Amino acid sequence: MTAPWFMFATGIENSYPTIDNGRKRVDEMEKCGHYKHWRTDFELLQDLDVRVLRYGPPIHKTWLAPERYDWGFADLTFGYLKEIDVAPIVDLCHFGVPDFIGDFQNPDFPELFAGYARAFAERFPWVQLYTPVNEMFICAQFSAAYGWWNEQLTSDRGFVTALKHIVQANCAAMWAILDVRPDAIFIQSESSEYFHAEDPAAIKPAELMNSRRFLSLDLNYGRRVDSEMYEYLMDNGMTREEYHYFLERHLRHHCIMGNDYYVTNEHRVAADGRTWGAGEVFGYDDITRQYYDRYKLPVMHTETNINEGPNGDEAAIWLWKQWANVLRVRNCGVPIVGFTWYSLTDQVDWDTALREDNGRVNPLGLYDLDRNIRKVGEAYKKLIADWSEVLPAQSVCLNVPLILPSEYDEPFARRRRDWARRYQRRRSRTKTVVRANEPVEPAGPRR
C-alpha cells in the first residue's frame, strides 16, 4: 500500500498523570481496557480504514530508570501495528512521568527524556511520526498552574518551570530521534485556545492569557515571544541562556503543527482573571488560522471529541462541524494534512479532567468500552470512505512525506533517509541538551 494523501487518524487514550500529591496514578490505558484488548483495538482501525494512529507506550511501565526499559508491551503492540501497516504518531509523554523522575519541576527531565526518546527510536527504527510531549501547554497548566496533576502547584514560577522543562524535553527528544531516524516528522499536538473578555475591564487579563497560550509553541518553534511574555518568563525563573536555547535549537522545519479543539477550548474572562467556559464561539477554523498566521507551518487537526449526548447523535453532529471547519481551513489556503477523532474508544473520568478517580465512563469514543461501534464511529467511517482521495492542499506537491511501515526498506525510503541524514549533519554540529539554570554556548546564527 502507499501512504494516504490525507491522514485520517484516531488515537488510543494514554494519559497517566499522578494525583493526590503523587500517591495515585491515573492510567487511562488500564481504565479503558487497552492492556487487555489491544489486539481488538488495532483490528478496529482496519474496520474504519484508519491508517494513522496517535499512540504511545505507557511511559511509567516502560521507562523504569535511567537507561533501563521494559519493552515487553511495546514490542507486542508496535510489532502488530507494523504487521497491519498502520503508521503510529508516537506519543512518548502524555501528561505524566515515571515515578523516578517525580514531576515536571525536575531539571533532569529534559536530558533523561532525550535518552528515552533515542532508545525508543533505536528499538523501533521504522517509526517516522512522533509527538514527543503531548499538549505541552496543557500539561504545564494543569500540573503547575491549576494544581490538578503531578506537582500540583498553583504559581507562575511553578508553571514557567514546568513549561521550560517540558519544551526543553520535547526539543531534546526531537534531536535525539533525528540521530536515529533523520527523516522523522514531529506533530505537536497542542491545545488551540482563545480567551474572550467578558467586559471592558477584562480586556487586559484576556490579552495576557491570549499571549500566554502561545508560549509552548513559541519556545518550541524558536519564535521570539512578545515583550510582556518575555518579562513574565524572566520574572518567573527562566534564564536568558535557557531562552536563547529555544531560539537557536528549534527544529520547526521537521514539524507539523497539530491543533486540538474541543468545545472547552474557548473561555470567558472576568476583570479579576477568573475564567469559565465560553462554548464554541470562533470555532476550530478561526482559531487555527490565528495559530497558522503566527507559525506558518502545515496543520493537522490532532484531537477532538464530544459526549454522545442524550439523543446519541451529538458526537456525530460535532464530527460534521469539525470536518466542515477543516474544509474551511483548507479552502482558505492553509496546508492542512490530517484530521483526528480522539479517541478510538470511550474514556474514563475525563469529566473531572482526571482529577478524581470515579471510574465514570465518558461516551466520547468511536467505539464503546465493549468495542461496539457508536454512531460517531459509523459517521467517521463514512467520512473517510467519502473523502479519502481528496488532496490536503489542492496540490499533489503538498503532502506529508509519510513512509508506511511496509515501505521502510524500499529504495526510495532509504534514499530519503540518506539525504535527510546528510542534511541533519550540517545542522547539528553543536547538539546539546540544556538543563535548567545551566548556561550553554551559542549554537550559531538562527536559521
Side-chain angles (χ1 to χ4, degrees):
M1 291 186 177
T2 57
W5 289 115
F6 188 90
M7 296 190 294
F8 286 104
T10 186
I12 290 175
E13 164 67 347
N14 66 326
S15 297
Y16 33 68
T18 59
I19 57 175
D20 193 20
N21 294 311
R23 289 187 288 267
K24 180 179 291 185
R25 186 178 293 277
V26 179
D27 186 337
E28 281 290 288
M29 281 188 167
E30 178 68 43
K31 288 192 171 195
C32 299
H34 179 68
Y35 295 137
K36 181 179 180 181
H37 299 295
W38 63 267
R39 188 179 292 270
T40 300
D41 289 346
F42 293 159
E43 289 168 354
L44 297 178
L45 302 175
Q46 297 175 296
D47 179 55
L48 294 168
D49 197 25
V50 163
R51 307 283 300 286
V52 179
L53 178 69
R54 291 200 57 214
Y55 184 72
I59 197 171
H60 58 294
K61 292 177 177 287
T62 306
W63 187 16
L64 306 181
E67 300 183 6
R68 189 160 70 88
Y69 313 103
D70 180 353
W71 298 113
F73 186 65
D75 284 342
L76 289 173
T77 53
F78 281 91
Y80 193 67
L81 288 175
K82 184 179 181 183
E83 181 181 327
I84 63 176
D85 210 21
V86 167
I89 304 173
V90 178
D91 190 340
L92 290 176
C93 178
H94 201 119
F95 297 149
V97 291
D99 291 340
F100 77 90
I101 294 288
D103 54 47
F104 295 108
Q105 302 298 302
N106 187 343
D108 296 328
F109 172 55
E111 184 173 7
L112 291 170
F113 183 67
Y116 172 58
R118 180 188 298 275
F120 179 91
E122 290 172 344
R123 187 86 177 183
F124 305 101
W126 54 270
V127 171
Q128 183 187 20
L129 306 178
Y130 286 88
T131 300
V133 183
N134 173 73
E135 285 193 343
M136 294 178 284
F137 177 80
I138 295 298
C139 188
Q141 185 95 325
F142 287 13
S143 297
Y146 290 174
W148 292 353
W149 300 337
N150 304 308
E151 53 262 51
Q152 293 186 236
L153 297 177
T154 56
S155 67
D156 287 329
R157 182 167 288 266
F159 169 76
V160 170
T161 300
L163 186 71
K164 70 182 180 183
H165 292 165
I166 288 167
V167 184
Q168 283 173 354
N170 194 73
C171 292
M174 290 193 289
W175 281 104
I177 290 164
L178 285 172
D179 276 346
V180 180
R181 181 73 194 249
D183 64 335
I185 297 169
F186 304 105
I187 303 174
Q188 271 77 46
S189 177
E190 186 58 280
S191 184
S192 50
E193 307 272 323
Y194 192 83
F195 296 86
H196 302 272
E198 177 71 4
D199 53 45
I203 291 174
K204 183 61 174 179
E207 287 179 343
L208 289 171
M209 292 175 189
N210 279 320
S211 293
R212 181 167 144 157
R213 64 180 168 144
F214 291 123
L215 278 178
S216 62
L217 294 182
D218 281 353
L219 297 174
N220 188 70
Y221 295 143
R223 185 189 188 280
R224 286 173 170 81
V225 301
D226 298 341
S227 59
E228 284 183 308
M229 287 299 101
Y230 181 79
E231 292 178 357
Y232 173 74
L233 294 173
M234 296 299 111
D235 289 345
N236 288 287
M238 182 176 285
T239 67
R240 288 169 59 91
E241 291 80 8
E242 289 167 341
Y243 176 68
H244 280 276
Y245 165 79
F246 295 116
L247 296 183
E248 295 158 359
R249 300 297 292 158
H250 66 86
L251 284 163
R252 57 172 285 126
H253 57 293
H254 278 270
C255 293
I256 292 169
M257 180 178 61
N259 295 93
D260 303 348
Y261 184 80
Y262 296 91
V263 73
T264 55
N265 281 38
E266 298 186 55
H267 316 268
R268 294 166 70 176
V269 182
D272 61 2
R274 289 180 298 111
T275 64
W276 61 98
E280 186 187 20
V281 181
F282 288 167
Y284 178 80
D285 164 32
D286 196 309
I287 296 176
T288 293
R289 281 188 284 145
Q290 293 175 24
Y291 280 75
Y292 176 75
D293 288 345
R294 192 175 185 91
Y295 302 113
K296 293 295 190 291
L297 286 171
V299 171
M300 181 173 179
H301 193 328
T302 37
E303 281 188 28
T304 196
N305 67 43
I306 202 168
N307 196 300
E308 183 181 56
N311 297 325
D313 61 355
E314 290 184 25
I317 293 170
W318 182 258
L319 170 67
W320 177 84
K321 289 177 69 176
Q322 292 305 295
W323 183 245
N325 273 258
V326 166
L327 294 178
R328 176 64 177 164
V329 168
R330 170 183 178 268
N331 292 339
C332 288
V334 175
I336 188 162
V337 299
F339 174 79
T340 313
W341 184 273
Y342 199 87
S343 54
L344 179 69
T345 66
D346 288 347
Q347 300 170 14
V348 180
D349 288 332
W350 262 109
D351 54 314
T352 59
L354 307 184
R355 288 173 289 171
E356 299 176 10
D357 185 19
N358 300 317
R360 189 177 296 122
V361 176
N362 311 137
L364 303 167
L366 300 169
Y367 295 81
D368 64 25
L369 292 185
D370 291 323
R371 276 54 185 178
N372 298 313
I373 197 165
R374 291 194 177 277
K375 286 185 179 179
V376 67
E378 297 283 6
Y380 195 35
K381 186 175 180 178
K382 184 177 186 304
L383 188 152
I384 293 169
D386 290 345
W387 290 90
S388 60
E389 299 303 319
V390 175
L391 300 183
Q394 292 91 18
S395 171
V396 73
C397 301
L398 294 175
N399 61 86
V400 178
L402 173 62
I403 295 172
L404 290 174
S406 61
E407 300 171 324
Y408 177 71
D409 287 320
E410 292 292 326
F412 82 91
R414 290 177 179 271
R415 288 195 300 271
R416 183 175 292 165
R417 290 197 298 275
D418 288 343
W419 177 88
R421 186 172 291 109
R422 291 193 300 271
Y423 174 75
Q424 199 59 29
R425 283 172 181 164
R426 292 196 297 270
R427 291 184 52 88
S428 58
R429 298 186 184 96
T430 58
K431 291 195 295 292
T432 57
V433 176
V434 179
R435 294 178 58 183
N437 303 315
E438 181 176 290
V440 299
E441 293 299 322
R446 185 182 178 200
R447 294 177 174 82

